[in-house]
Amino acid sequence: MIMQRSRRTVILKSAREIDIMREANRHTAEVLAMMCEATKPGMSTWDLDQIAREEIDKRPVTSAFLGYYGYPAVVCVSINEEVVHGIPRKDKVIRDGDIVSIDFGLCFEGYVGDTARSIGVGTLSTEAEDLIRVTRECLDQAIALCDPEHRLSDIGKAVETHAQNHHYGVVREFVGHGIGTRMHEEPQVPNYYDGLKPRLRPGLVIAIEPMINIGGHEVRVLDDDWTAVTKDGSWSAHFEDSVAILEDGPVVLSRI
Ligand code: MF3
Ligand code: CO
Ligand code: CO
C-alpha cells in the first residue's frame, strides 16, 4: 500500500478470526501458486488475470483488488523494472529472463488474504536470481521476528539491513500493512527503520511485503496511475506474506 499518515487504530484478531484468515489466505496462496506455475514466455499478463478470475469464480471468494480505488483487474503483475501494481494487459508479454512479480488478494467470509511472489521466467541472469533470493530472505528474516518479544520497527530494520548488505535499494513509498476485514489496516509496516515502534501484540495480523531494487530506492508511477517503476530502470522484486502474531510466535497464513 502507499505510505500515508496513520489514521485508524490497530485491530487485534480473535482465534476465530485468525482461523477464517487462514482459510482466506489458503485460497489466496493456492491461486497465486497456480498463476506462478502457469507463467511461461509468450503469455500475457492479461492471461494471468484470466486464470485468477476463473479460480475466483470456482471458489467461495471475491476479489480484493477489483474496483479497489478503481483498480481494473484481480491481480497485479509487475515485470522487471516495474515494482508493484502492474495492470494486466493483453499486449504486456512475458519473456524468457524476466522477473515477474505477481500480487494477489481475495476476500473470504469477510476477511482478506494478500500475498505476492517474484519468479524468474526461463533462464535468468545471476543479478536477477540474486535479487529474487535476497528479497525472499528479507521477508523470511522479518517473519522470524514476528513475536511479542519484538517491535514493529524490528521488521523494517531486518529487511533494510539484509537488503543494504547486498547494496540494494529499499522502496520507501509503498509499505506493508495490517490486514483483516479490510486489505489495508493499521499499522503501516515499512521496510526500513522509521523510529522505535511498539511491541508486536498477539492477535495482530500484518502483511509484510519487501519491495527491493537492484539500483536506487526511488520509484515513480506511470501514466496509467497505477504501475510503479524504479526511477533508474533497475529491476525490482516483491514478496508478501500475511502473518499472524501469536503468543509463541508467527503463523504465516499465506503459505501452503
Ligand atoms: N495487494 C497490494 C498490497 O500488497 C495492493 C493492491 S492495490 C489494488 O498492498 F488496487 F491493486 F488492489
Ligand atoms: Co499484495
Ligand atoms: Co499488501
Side-chain angles (χ1 to χ4, degrees), residues 113-132:
D114 188 10
T115 181
R117 196 192 293 179
S118 290
I119 55 169
V121 181
T123 314
L124 240 63
S125 68
T126 317
E127 287 77 12
E129 246 171 34
D130 288 347
L131 175 70
I132 291 173

Side-chain angles (χ1 to χ4, degrees), residues 132-146 158-159 162 208 210 239-241 243 250 252 255:
I132 291 173
R133 177 179 47 80
V134 172
T135 306
R136 194 194 306 109
E137 288 167 359
C138 285
L139 176 56
D140 288 342
Q141 292 183 16
I143 290 172
L145 306 176
C146 285
V159 171
H162 192 54
I208 306 175
F239 281 81
E240 173 176 34
D241 275 309
V243 181
V252 185
R255 290 189 192 177

Side-chain angles (χ1 to χ4, degrees), residues 80-83 171 212-220 228-237:
N80 300 340
E81 78 287 353
E82 296 173 350
V83 179
V171 173
I212 307 294
N213 306 338
I214 290 178
H217 69 86
E218 290 187 318
V219 299
R220 67 186 173 88
V229 299
T230 59
K231 268 197 185 164
D232 60 10
S234 69
W235 287 17
S236 186

Side-chain angles (χ1 to χ4, degrees), residues 31 35 44-54 56-57 62-78 84-90 92 101-107 114 183 224 226-227:
V31 178
M35 286 187 277
S44 72
T45 57
W46 188 85
D47 295 330
L48 291 175
D49 193 68
Q50 285 302 114
I51 292 172
R53 284 178 192 254
E54 281 166 23
I56 287 170
D57 287 344
T62 54
S63 173
F65 290 10
L66 188 66
Y68 188 82
Y69 290 95
Y71 189 72
V74 304
V75 60
C76 299
V77 188
S78 311
V84 286
H85 303 165
I87 302 174
R89 296 200 324 250
K90 282 186 177 171
K92 184 84 185 176
S101 302
I102 308 177
D103 189 341
F104 182 63
L106 56 70
C107 192
D114 188 10
M183 177 160 58
D224 64 13
W226 280 101
T227 315

Side-chain angles (χ1 to χ4, degrees), residues 114 177 184 207 209 240:
D114 188 10
H177 48 91
H184 295 148
E209 48 179 313
E240 173 176 34

Side-chain angles (χ1 to χ4, degrees), residues 2-46:
I2 201 150
M3 183 71 171
Q4 53 192 206
R5 195 170 295 146
S6 306
R7 276 172 291 127
R8 289 186 215 92
T9 48
V10 172
I11 306 163
L12 299 178
K13 276 78 186 177
S14 67
R16 193 195 125 265
E17 288 178 293
I18 291 173
D19 279 343
I20 301 172
M21 293 193 73
R22 206 191 295 257
E23 281 293 284
N25 278 286
R26 183 179 56 77
H27 285 292
T28 318
E30 284 176 4
V31 178
L32 179 68
M34 289 182 64
M35 286 187 277
C36 290
E37 278 157 29
T39 301
K40 297 276 171 337
M43 80 190 289
S44 72
T45 57
W46 188 85

